[in-house]
Amino acid sequence: MQEFTEPDLIEVPATASINTLLADRVATRGAQPVIERPSGAGWKPMTAQEFDDDVVAVARGLIAHGVGVGDRIAIMSRTRYEWSLVDFAAWAVGAIPVPIYETSSSDQVEWVLTDAQISLAVVETPAHADQVATVRDRTPGLREVLVIDTGALDTLRADGETVAIAEVTARRAATTAEELATIIYTSGATGRPKGVELTHRNFVSLALNGKAGLGEVVDKPGGRTLLFLPLAHVFARYIQVVVIASQSVLAHSSDTKNLVRDLGTFHPTFLLVVPRVLEKVYNGAEQKAGSGLRLRIFRWSAKVAITYSRSLDEGGPSALLRAQHAVGDRLVYRNLRTAMGGRMEYCVSGGAPLGDRLGHFYRGIGLHVLEGYGLTETTAPTAVNRPGLTKVGTVGAPFPGASLRVDADGELYVRGSHVFRGYHNQPELTAEVSQDGWFRTGDLGSFDSDGYLRITGRKKEIIVTAGGKNVAPAMLEDRLRGHPLVSQVVVVGDGRPFIGALVTLDPEMLVGWLTTHGLPPMSVEQAAKNPEVLAALDRAVDRANEAVSRAESIRKITVLTTDFTEVNGYLTPSLKVRRAAVLSDFADQVDALYGGPVTADTAR
């Protein structure tokens, strides 16, 4: 049993809430910007006082529309200013905002509306309202649906003028740390989403400890961040709250098609990302280099950046390496930094492992990726690398206020004031994951001697081959997914004689890859059978296998012509593969990989 604890840096009083975080921001920096909103080709700042005034105006409107203390309000929208506004307005009236992914199916929408007993829903578009309407007869508690794009917030502001501001003030003051702040439904790889109940203490504790422990990132003059990940996810929701608690400025980007443009005009200093974004940036830059000399220069510069970063952990770079790094900076690195806004210093990455190679690459070009680990049940980060305390390839040491433990089976347990209070309407499941005050994560991990954590997989995803070898698929999947041709990977082999993998191609990257390799344009279906494409994937498999033993290595792959997406149900909204759905729907392809289904003989 290994255990490491990082003590709380900030004590949270019983009277604290997310409301008091905003009140403190207004009291200390009310005249300074807290949010910037898109305006023409640029951004228009909004002071903390102006934001608070807007929160109060919408909060008064919610009261006018019958929202009481403890009522549940659904928010279904892309990431935009109005999402944050409704969130804080709901908290201001003592209500409980419940996010719904704007990509959710009607069945998922119905489940959240009924399980959380939603009384009022704020949705982004008329299409969202139409979707809610299809399940309205099965959600009797839902009184009203308001549509942002048809002026709902202006309606709330106008209707709220008859409500005394003192009513909002009183409700804010009555909200305590132990009150329920939100119910976030985890997308889950199988079954119906679970409602995770998070309190105001969960958010306040994590925000204040994050401000204290990551001050160089979130709490320094001039700090700026652009949210583009879904606010329905706990990670983005936490960043929204920690920005309010600090002195940084927040902006929203609602369409990833405009992300590069928004980065270039907003100039963030830190960014919340998932590894797939950083993989896409790297692969896109390599593809943009084209072929010939430019491609050789890019790959040389990338190798120098990785070597330079590794040297920082091994006594520092030599004079020759420093000179090579300076050349790489002039040729490649500064262009990449400019593409990401020009002022970026840190990326906070979570949701999946980034991998050593990209971690060192980004640090080598001057962008520090702070990998962390957390779950919805831990209100986001429970371990994180910090500036000056970073070990590439790990998810860092315990977050301030967190205790982490790994048992004899390798399962990770978490304890701290940021851990959720339970699953909504599921006391049996809550008891199942609770043990003597610890939360059982279901993830597998290990610590180094300094308490830095590595996540090695999910306990329920362990593959046991016919030979009895236990294989955690996550490392192989993450390494193979780093190839520009690869979109998604599912490692298979349970009860089979060897490890295999289902691989999907990235249609966006395929076009450029074919061009740079002197191949004619082809469809995904054609590429999946092309000898040169398959040879490139085989080489990628060989590189992925370098991290594991022969018994754990991928021996054979099948290239699927159907990518895994949210739309077809094979990816969760947080971009995790629904492994059970893939294995069920592609069972024939798995069987073909091994020459037939599992039998008593093959499983022996």
Side-chain angles (χ1 to χ4, degrees), residues 3 403 405 413-415 433-440:
E3 184 178 322
S403 295
R405 170 191 288 178
Y413 291 64
V414 182
R415 185 173 63 187
V433 299
S434 303
Q435 184 173 312
D436 300 325
W438 292 83
F439 165 58
R440 298 179 56 186

Side-chain angles (χ1 to χ4, degrees), residues 469 471 498-499 545 548-555:
K469 181 66 177 179
V471 178
F498 58 85
I499 295 297
N545 286 339
V548 298
S549 69
R550 176 166 173 74
E552 298 170 288
S553 64
I554 298 171
R555 308 284 182 84

Side-chain angles (χ1 to χ4, degrees), residues 270-287:
F270 70 98
L271 199 66
L272 172 66
V273 297
V274 291
R276 192 63 179 148
V277 171
L278 296 176
E279 289 169 359
K280 289 267 191 181
V281 169
Y282 177 90
N283 291 336
E286 183 179 50
Q287 190 176 96

Side-chain angles (χ1 to χ4, degrees), residues 240-532:
Q240 166 192 262
V241 173
V242 79
V243 166
I244 292 296
S246 68
Q247 56 181 318
S248 293
V249 173
L250 176 70
H252 305 77
S253 182
S254 60
D255 190 339
T256 54
K257 294 178 182 177
N258 300 325
L259 181 59
V260 172
R261 182 200 67 190
D262 290 345
L263 290 171
T265 56
F266 182 72
H267 309 296
T269 60
F270 70 98
L271 199 66
L272 172 66
V273 297
V274 291
R276 192 63 179 148
V277 171
L278 296 176
E279 289 169 359
K280 289 267 191 181
V281 169
Y282 177 90
N283 291 336
E286 183 179 50
Q287 190 176 96
K288 190 176 180 180
S291 58
L293 179 61
R294 288 185 62 192
L295 181 59
R296 290 198 297 273
I297 288 172
F298 177 86
R299 287 178 173 170
W300 174 84
S301 299
K303 185 177 180 180
V304 167
I306 293 168
T307 304
Y308 183 88
S309 174
R310 291 187 188 279
S311 76
L312 298 176
D313 299 329
E314 300 167 356
S318 65
L320 174 60
L321 184 54
R322 286 197 299 271
Q324 292 173 329
H325 187 264
V327 173
D329 190 68
R330 288 195 298 273
L331 296 175
V332 174
Y333 312 153
R334 65 178 58 176
N335 293 331
L336 275 172
R337 294 196 301 269
T338 298
M340 298 183 77
R343 292 183 57 195
M344 190 97 67
E345 296 179 68
Y346 300 101
C347 280
V348 183
S349 177
L354 176 64
D356 291 14
R357 181 181 64 89
L358 283 182
H360 282 298
F361 170 76
Y362 280 105
R363 184 166 70 167
I365 72 169
L367 177 59
H368 296 270
V369 179
L370 305 178
E371 261 196 284
Y373 163 81
L375 301 167
T376 306
E377 290 89 341
T378 64
T379 326
T382 197
V384 70
N385 281 284
R386 283 169 259 176
L389 296 169
T390 296
K391 290 189 180 184
V392 175
T394 76
V395 293
F399 203 80
S403 295
L404 306 181
R405 170 191 288 178
V406 171
D407 69 10
D409 294 329
E411 184 173 1
L412 177 66
Y413 291 64
V414 182
R415 185 173 63 187
S417 55
H418 62 306
V419 176
F420 77 134
R421 76 179 195 184
Y423 293 114
H424 186 63
N425 291 335
Q426 298 192 65
E428 298 86 1
L429 183 58
T430 301
E432 184 181 318
V433 299
S434 303
Q435 184 173 312
D436 300 325
W438 292 83
F439 165 58
R440 298 179 56 186
T441 67
D443 286 318
L444 300 174
S446 62
F447 294 106
D448 68 11
S449 58
D450 297 319
Y452 280 67
L453 176 66
R454 282 183 183 270
I455 299 297
T456 55
R458 287 285 295 170
K459 193 170 185 177
K460 292 181 180 179
E461 291 177 359
I462 290 294
I463 292 169
V464 183
T465 67
K469 181 66 177 179
N470 286 12
V471 178
M475 179 182 294
L476 287 165
E477 291 169 349
D478 294 329
R479 287 175 68 93
L480 186 50
R481 199 169 49 239
H483 191 279
L485 276 174
V486 176
S487 177
Q488 299 295 336
V489 182
V490 172
V491 168
V492 298
D494 216 27
R496 306 286 189 165
F498 58 85
I499 295 297
L502 303 178
V503 175
T504 71
L505 299 178
D506 187 328
E508 293 180 11
M509 300 300 295
L510 176 62
V511 177
W513 188 92
L514 293 171
T515 300
T516 58
H517 287 77
L519 296 172
M522 61 183 77
S523 66
V524 167
E525 289 75 14
Q526 292 169 321
K529 300 176 182 178
N530 181 271
E532 294 189 58

Side-chain angles (χ1 to χ4, degrees), residues 3-237:
E3 184 178 322
F4 290 89
T5 295
E6 185 72 22
D8 277 301
L9 298 175
I10 302 293
E11 192 116 358
V12 176
T15 55
S17 70
I18 298 170
N19 294 324
T20 63
L21 296 180
L22 179 54
D24 290 344
R25 178 74 180 249
V26 172
T28 56
R29 296 183 178 87
Q32 296 177 14
V34 67
I35 285 175
E36 291 190 11
R37 300 180 63 184
S39 177
W43 301 82
K44 182 179 180 181
M46 170 180 270
T47 68
Q49 184 64 66
E50 289 169 337
F51 177 59
D52 187 64
D53 290 343
D54 206 11
V55 167
V56 172
V58 173
R60 294 166 73 192
L62 292 175
I63 294 172
H65 280 245
V67 174
V69 174
D71 282 0
R72 285 77 187 269
I73 297 175
I75 307 175
M76 185 179 186
S77 170
R78 294 177 299 168
T79 295
R80 54 191 285 180
Y81 166 75
E82 291 82 1
W83 212 116
S84 295
L85 176 62
V86 174
D87 219 7
F88 278 87
W91 286 322
V93 300
I96 302 164
V98 179
I100 300 177
Y101 283 98
E102 53 98 15
T103 55
S104 294
S105 68
S106 295
D107 284 348
Q108 291 168 332
V109 171
E110 180 187 348
W111 170 246
V112 175
L113 293 177
T114 53
D115 189 61
Q117 297 176 298
I118 301 296
S119 61
L120 182 146
V122 179
V123 301
E124 181 177 16
T125 67
H128 290 143
D130 291 343
Q131 187 178 17
V132 173
T134 64
V135 301
R136 193 72 181 267
D137 61 334
R138 299 188 293 279
T139 56
L142 181 62
R143 295 184 290 100
E144 188 174 11
V145 178
L146 303 175
V147 183
I148 293 171
D149 282 352
T150 58
L153 298 191
D154 285 336
T155 299
L156 287 174
R157 293 180 184 106
D159 293 347
E161 291 178 359
T162 60
V163 175
I165 293 177
E167 176 65 20
V168 177
T169 303
R171 291 198 190 188
R172 277 178 155 177
T175 303
T176 65
E178 305 312 323
E179 300 288 342
L180 183 60
T182 189
I183 305 171
I184 299 180
Y185 283 80
T186 60
S187 46
T190 60
R192 277 184 159 170
K194 300 170 292 189
V196 177
E197 295 187 345
L198 298 174
T199 66
H200 282 266
R201 180 179 295 281
N202 292 149
F203 277 99
V204 173
S205 173
L206 208 61
L208 294 181
N209 277 290
K211 174 184 173 182
L214 291 169
E216 295 173 61
V217 181
V218 303
D219 192 37
K220 69 176 189 177
R224 303 166 63 80
T225 193
L226 182 70
L227 272 185
F228 64 93
L229 296 180
L231 271 164
H233 192 276
V234 70
F235 198 7
R237 200 92 168 280

